Amino acid sequence: MSKKFIFDLSPHQIDKFFEPVRKKETVIAVLMNAIKVMLTKDPCAHDTSKTQMVLVVSKMSRLFFFSEDRYYSVHFPFYIFQDDEGCISFFYDNVEITNKITSEIISLMADTEAYNSNCIFDFIELIGKSSDNENYIWCLFKNLISFDDGYIRYDYDKKNSNKLLHPLNHYDI
């Protein structure tokens, strides 16, 4: 049996979730920012916004993002727990994913010099400096960078439409 949580997105959140996804790092940032939103907002009881994030929890949970002309979905690799008051929390390998952990992961990817370095020790040093729990952050990051994100997007793209190269209606995976 699946469960659905719907979150309206504000105009300033749209930029975080609807930038082009061309790298795994973008998917990870989307997941971390999505958890931040879900930890601070109550799920909507009804459709009030044209831009939404929907978490469908089942055997293989997925996040869906909807705007007027673009829809996309990614695999959601976290365990979701909902308490008796309806608050939701997220876990990975029995460790709760908090706002602090999401910020640490986002920060790791934002340091492009260390992240893109050819020397692994630059990145290891960054993890050691950024976290009280460097072993967990490293394990989480390693799993996120290697998981199958199952990204799929549907576009209705008038602005870039070109019959042969970029159809008006198309899917990207």
Side-chain angles (χ1 to χ4, degrees):
M1 181 169 166
S2 65
K3 198 170 217 178
K4 188 189 301 188
F5 300 94
I6 301 171
F7 299 86
D8 287 338
L9 297 176
S10 66
H12 81 275
Q13 292 170 323
I14 293 170
D15 292 339
K16 289 182 181 180
F17 297 114
F18 287 93
E19 68 178 80
V21 175
R22 295 189 176 96
K23 295 180 177 181
K24 179 67 88 159
E25 295 90 320
T26 307
V27 173
I28 295 170
V30 163
L31 289 171
M32 296 299 103
N33 283 307
I35 289 174
K36 285 181 172 300
V37 168
M38 291 185 282
L39 287 174
T40 58
K41 278 188 166 185
D42 289 328
C44 303
H46 52 79
D47 180 10
T48 60
S49 172
K50 293 185 185 222
T51 308
Q52 293 182 324
M53 174 176 63
V54 178
L55 174 61
V56 177
V57 180
S58 63
K59 281 186 178 181
M60 181 180 253
S61 299
R62 291 191 71 82
L63 260 180
F64 295 85
F65 296 88
F66 299 98
S67 71
E68 286 188 46
D69 57 358
R70 178 175 290 173
Y71 316 127
Y72 79 94
S73 174
V74 295
H75 171 68
F76 193 75
F78 303 100
Y79 172 76
I80 298 94
F81 174 77
Q82 186 175 26
D83 66 18
D84 293 336
E85 285 93 42
C87 295
I88 54 177
S89 50
F90 306 93
F91 293 85
Y92 196 89
D93 283 344
N94 296 318
V95 176
E96 186 172 5
I97 306 298
T98 62
N99 269 317
K100 182 177 188 234
I101 288 173
T102 61
S103 294
E104 288 177 355
I105 296 291
I106 290 168
S107 176
L108 282 175
M109 294 182 312
D111 189 325
T112 55
E113 186 176 326
Y115 183 77
N116 293 321
S117 174
N118 290 330
C119 179
I120 187 66
F121 297 111
D122 293 339
F123 192 66
I124 292 169
E125 183 179 356
L126 180 63
I127 291 172
K129 287 180 186 175
S130 72
S131 177
D132 298 335
N133 189 353
E134 60 194 59
N135 288 337
Y136 178 72
I137 293 297
W138 167 242
C139 289
L140 175 61
F141 185 77
K142 178 183 65 163
N143 287 318
L144 288 173
I145 204 73
S146 62
F147 90 108
D148 181 3
D149 54 54
Y151 174 80
I152 185 166
R153 181 181 78 219
Y154 166 76
D155 275 340
Y156 177 76
D157 192 355
K158 286 182 182 178
K159 186 175 91 177
N160 297 310
S161 180
N162 176 322
K163 284 185 183 181
L164 296 176
L165 299 176
H166 196 91
L168 177 63
N169 296 297
H170 64 278
Y171 289 100
D172 291 317
I173 55 173

